[in-house]
């Protein structure tokens, strides 16, 4: 088989099947699109998925598997990783014409007329720890595939071992970027034999040209480097290391830069040295980067019609906000090593932009609006003080503002469908679509107030009297005149307050009026005012255990801290 260059075409991962690899017992995944971001809690196997793709399509001659790469160390059950790539350039179609495949109903089949050309590669590792790579036909027939042929798929793991790619050495991106590899080897040999003066005097035209390309590529990714890049002997480079010559700026090795800058420069070198028509893998794209640099990098990496595919992982809300929902897949792993990936529904786009942390959590509390969000922000801290200073965040729980009744119920259904353990805190004074019953049917836990009322009415009815008075004082301080409007509602004299009104109006009537006015006057409709309401609730909960307010919020606390 001849070595092929994928320039002029694009290559995308169409399907990945993994069996018994590290923490994955079984995975069957069809990625969607050219830009794919994997999110999920720790140990959900995001990085392992990237490693599986790398193992199957890597152009390296060898791997170094160990017993720990086998699922549960069961070395008698071989590791099998099967990757199918599509959108092949004409050269690959010509080369593997007899071994093209297609997918039909989750199984490999022979391609039919009109099917897009695909090639399937399978790597297998048994107890001998000797990997074998095969091209697999739909009929099951297999053919060996060499590393030089796998290189045609253009798979690159970006961002790994940044320091290695800032120097000329075996398998470094700088070496690939240099026009004449033989000259690189000769200069390195001379560098190991001579002092720094000899290296400075050596003809380094090809290395200097590569250094210029590296600088331009890194600047495009937002590295912010001003000076020219030059090849020079690294400190300690004469002590036997393979990378004796590295990139320098103003005489200082780029390896001495901060983590973010080193990573951006290395990414630029890697991208410049490989084909952009292949498959690029990036683990934790946000590592070492400030938000503004991360946003720029995400935009720069986005594939165009002439570029291949980028598959990344993230734990960063900045990354989630920068991407379209359709570019995000949620990774879930059950207790038996079955890994699933679910794309995020486009209908969640607005919610994800405002509350991206929801996608990065294990469990999600969707609240109806800003009032409930403010209340729970206060209760979250109070709960932590009662649970050995353990926040619900440590339990993997995120609070998400649903943005309104129907939006909140729809978000709860969507999060539950994506595999998140979901709770919904919502008013009961409207009939949203989907209904709270639909949310419960989807499997989420619903906390809705008894009776047809919002949180303001529920609070006004259930809090101790002194707390109700306190609410009126808070509202009047935040919205001057609030007390006078409430007084007018109750037909009471000017200059009086709730305690004075008890002489002429029942406590029940005042409580109802407070609830209605708080709702209609939007006393607590911001996060900040919701926090003020939450502080009043938190101070009073212990004294009103039998009320609906205390019962529901205590049940929500128990849900958040449940195993």
């Amino acid at each position: 088989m001849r070595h092929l260059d994928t320039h002029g075409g694009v290559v995308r991962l169409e399907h990945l099947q993994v069996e018994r690899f590290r923490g994955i017992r079984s995975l069957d995944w069809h990625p969607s699109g050219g830009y794919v971001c994997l999110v999920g809690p720790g140990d959900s196997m995001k990085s392992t998925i990237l490693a599986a793709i790398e193992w199957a399509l890597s152009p390296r001659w060898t791997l170094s598997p160990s017993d720990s790469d086998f699922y549960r160390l069961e070395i008698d059950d071989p590791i099998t990783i099967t990757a199918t790539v599509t959108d092949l350039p004409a050269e690959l179609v010509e080369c593997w014409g007899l071994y093209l495949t297609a997918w039909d109903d989750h199984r490999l089949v022979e391609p039919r007329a009109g099917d897009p050309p695909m090639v399937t590669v399978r790597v297998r590792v048994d107890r001998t720890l000797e990997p074998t790579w095969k091209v697999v036909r739909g009929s099951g027939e297999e053919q060996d595939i060499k590393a030089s042929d796998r290189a045609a798929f253009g798979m690159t793991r970006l961002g790994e071992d940044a320091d290695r790619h800032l120097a000329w050495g075996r398998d470094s991106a700088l070496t690939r970027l240099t026009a004449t590899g033989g000259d690189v080897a000769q200069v390195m040999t001379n560098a190991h034999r001579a002092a720094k003066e000899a290296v400075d005097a050596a003809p380094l035209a090809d290395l200097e040209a590569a250094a210029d390309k590296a600088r331009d590529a890194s600047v495009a990714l937002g590295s912010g480097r001003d000076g020219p890049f030059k090849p020079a002997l690294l400190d300690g480079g004469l002590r036997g290391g393979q990378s004796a010559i590295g990139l320098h700026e103003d005489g200082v090795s780029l390896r001495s830069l901060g983590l973010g800058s080193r990573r951006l420069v290395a990414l630029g070198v890697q991208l410049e040295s490989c084909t952009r028509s292949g498959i690029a893998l990036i683990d934790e794209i946000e590592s070492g980067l400030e938000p503004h640099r991360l946003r720029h990098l995400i935009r720069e990496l986005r594939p165009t019609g002439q570029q291949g595919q980028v598959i990344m992982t993230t734990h960063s809300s900045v990354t989630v906000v920068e991407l379209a929902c359709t570019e995000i897949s949620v990774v879930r792993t059950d207790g038996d090593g079955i890994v699933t990936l679910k794309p995020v529904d486009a209908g969640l786009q607005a919610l994800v932009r405002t509350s991206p942390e929801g996608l990065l959590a294990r469990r999600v509390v969707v609240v109806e609006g800003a009032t409930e969000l403010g209340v729970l922000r206060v209760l979250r801290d109070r709960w932590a003080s009662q649970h050995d200073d353990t926040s619900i965040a440590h339990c993997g729980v995120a609070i998400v503002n649903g943005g309104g009744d129907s939006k909140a119920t729809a978000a709860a259904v969507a999060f539950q469908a994506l595999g998140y353990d979901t709770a919904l805190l919502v008013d009961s004074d409207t009939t949203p679509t989907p209904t709270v019953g639909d949310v419960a049917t989807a499997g989420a836990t619903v906390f809705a107030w008894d009776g047809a009322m919002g949180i303001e009415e529920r609070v006004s009815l259930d809090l101790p009297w002194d707390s109700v008075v306190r609410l009126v004082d808070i509202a009047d301080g935040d919205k001057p005149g609030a007390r006078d409007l409430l007084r007018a509602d109750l037909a009471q004299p000017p200059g009086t307050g709730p305690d004075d009104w008890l002489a002429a109006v029942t406590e029940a009537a005042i409580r109802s009026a407070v609830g209605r006015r708080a709702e209609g006057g939007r006393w607590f409709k911001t996060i900040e005012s919701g926090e003020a309401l939450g502080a009043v609730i938190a101070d009073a909960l212990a004294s009103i255990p039998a009320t609906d307010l205390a019962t529901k919020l205590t049940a929500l606390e128990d849900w958040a801290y449940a195993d």
Side-chain angles (χ1 to χ4, degrees):
M1 302 285 181
R2 58 193 176 93
H3 173 71
L4 298 171
D5 185 1
T6 59
H7 285 287
V10 296
V11 177
R12 298 172 191 261
L13 181 68
E14 168 68 20
H15 179 260
L16 180 69
Q17 188 172 33
V18 182
E19 297 178 0
R20 298 176 295 277
F21 178 51
R22 297 180 184 171
I24 301 175
R25 182 163 73 89
S26 178
L27 163 69
D28 191 299
W29 178 42
H30 285 273
S32 176
Y35 215 25
V36 182
C37 183
L38 308 183
V39 301
D43 299 324
S44 59
M45 302 299 129
K46 301 183 298 296
S47 298
T48 303
I49 291 170
L50 296 194
I53 299 170
E54 184 179 18
W55 274 36
L57 302 179
S58 174
R60 289 184 292 173
W61 291 97
T62 60
L63 292 175
S64 299
S66 66
D67 288 356
S68 62
D69 289 316
F70 289 79
Y71 180 70
R72 293 183 176 174
L73 300 177
E74 297 169 352
I75 62 174
D76 290 326
D77 295 324
I79 298 168
T80 304
I81 303 171
T82 306
T84 299
V85 295
T86 188
D87 288 351
L88 304 174
E91 299 95 327
L92 275 176
V93 176
E94 177 186 350
C95 181
W96 295 105
L98 296 178
Y99 282 85
L100 297 181
T101 57
W103 274 93
D104 181 48
D105 194 24
H106 299 288
R107 62 189 180 93
L108 278 176
V109 297
E110 293 292 305
R112 298 152 298 194
D115 284 341
M118 301 180 187
V119 171
T120 298
V121 178
R122 178 173 294 151
V123 59
R124 187 177 186 271
V125 181
D126 60 20
R127 62 178 297 122
T128 67
L129 302 183
E130 292 293 335
T132 59
W133 284 269
K134 305 283 186 179
V135 173
V136 184
R137 290 184 62 175
S139 63
E141 182 182 351
E142 297 182 346
Q143 168 70 42
D144 290 339
I145 178 171
K146 298 182 297 185
S148 56
D149 295 313
R150 296 196 302 275
F153 298 121
M155 194 288 303
T156 305
R157 185 76 176 259
L158 299 178
E160 292 291 289
D161 194 6
D163 284 355
R164 177 167 64 89
H165 297 295
L166 300 180
W168 280 265
R170 182 177 299 173
D171 295 328
S172 82
L174 267 178
T175 299
R176 294 196 301 269
L177 188 59
T178 305
T180 53
D183 289 348
V184 174
Q186 184 60 55
V187 171
M188 288 179 61
T189 298
N190 292 339
H192 281 288
R193 291 174 178 171
K196 188 176 186 303
E197 291 78 10
V199 176
D200 293 339
L204 305 177
D206 286 335
L207 273 63
E208 290 172 347
D212 290 341
K213 293 178 182 178
R215 180 193 178 278
D216 293 343
S218 72
V219 169
L221 294 185
S223 67
R225 309 317 303 167
D226 296 325
F229 289 0
K230 297 292 184 182
L233 187 69
L234 293 168
D235 290 339
L238 298 179
R239 292 199 292 266
Q242 290 187 351
S243 299
I245 301 175
L247 288 176
H248 290 65
E249 182 183 32
D250 296 330
V252 179
S253 171
L254 295 187
R255 287 181 172 183
S256 64
L257 298 176
L259 174 60
S261 295
R262 292 202 317 273
R263 197 160 190 258
L264 284 176
V265 173
L267 281 170
V269 174
Q270 287 180 281
L271 287 170
E272 189 67 21
S273 68
C274 71
T275 169
R276 293 294 294 271
S277 60
I279 300 168
L281 310 177
I282 311 176
D283 200 11
E284 296 188 7
I285 186 172
E286 69 277 5
S287 178
L289 299 180
E290 304 94 334
H292 65 281
R293 291 172 116 182
L294 176 57
R295 292 188 182 97
H296 180 76
L297 175 61
I298 290 169
R299 289 193 293 270
E300 286 295 313
L301 289 177
R302 185 177 298 279
T304 67
Q306 297 302 313
Q307 294 173 346
Q309 187 178 43
V310 175
I311 302 176
M312 69 180 77
T313 72
T314 191
H315 291 101
S316 168
S317 58
V318 174
T319 305
V320 172
V321 168
E322 283 298 311
L323 297 172
C325 273
T326 52
E327 296 170 332
I328 302 171
S329 290
V330 177
V331 184
R332 282 286 182 264
T333 304
D334 69 9
D336 293 322
I338 306 300
V339 179
T340 57
L341 293 96
K342 296 182 179 180
V344 178
D345 187 272
L348 281 177
Q349 186 68 72
L351 180 64
V352 169
R353 289 273 161 83
T354 56
S355 302
E357 61 274 10
L359 285 183
L360 303 173
R362 290 180 182 273
R363 309 166 71 211
V364 178
V365 180
V366 179
V367 299
E368 181 167 327
T371 303
E372 291 82 1
L373 179 59
V375 168
L376 286 197
R377 283 165 62 101
V378 172
L379 291 179
R380 174 188 60 194
D381 296 336
R382 298 295 180 96
W383 291 342
S385 67
Q386 299 166 8
H387 290 267
D388 298 324
D389 290 328
T390 300
S391 170
I392 61 173
H394 296 157
C395 301
V397 179
I399 305 170
V400 171
N401 184 347
D405 47 12
S406 291
K407 291 180 179 179
T409 54
V413 170
F415 273 113
Q416 187 70 29
L418 286 170
Y420 295 87
D421 188 8
T422 306
L424 173 68
L425 178 63
V426 66
D427 294 340
S428 57
D429 55 348
T430 62
T431 303
T433 302
T435 66
V436 293
D438 295 330
V439 176
T441 299
T445 302
V446 176
F447 299 95
W449 311 119
D450 290 346
M453 63 181 65
I455 187 172
E456 294 90 350
E457 292 178 278
R458 185 74 270 166
V459 167
S460 298
L461 294 179
D462 288 355
L463 285 179
W465 174 252
D466 288 347
S467 298
V468 175
V469 175
R470 183 178 167 191
L471 290 183
V472 175
D473 291 340
I474 291 172
D476 197 57
D478 186 50
K479 297 178 180 296
R483 181 186 290 106
D484 289 338
L485 292 173
L486 180 60
R487 177 194 55 75
D489 292 342
L490 294 167
Q492 294 300 297
T496 58
D499 287 326
D500 302 314
W501 304 336
L502 286 173
V505 184
T506 66
E507 180 180 319
I510 296 174
R511 287 177 177 273
S512 294
V514 170
R516 291 192 303 271
R517 176 55 64 179
E519 171 69 25
R522 304 183 65 81
W523 285 2
F524 305 106
K525 292 301 185 183
T526 65
I527 295 175
E528 292 75 18
S529 59
E531 288 177 334
L533 176 61
V536 176
I537 294 172
D539 290 342
L541 279 181
S543 65
I544 53 171
T547 62
D548 184 48
L549 177 69
T551 300
K552 292 290 193 324
L553 292 178
T554 300
L556 178 56
E557 176 186 1
D558 292 340
W559 177 92
Y561 283 95
D563 293 333

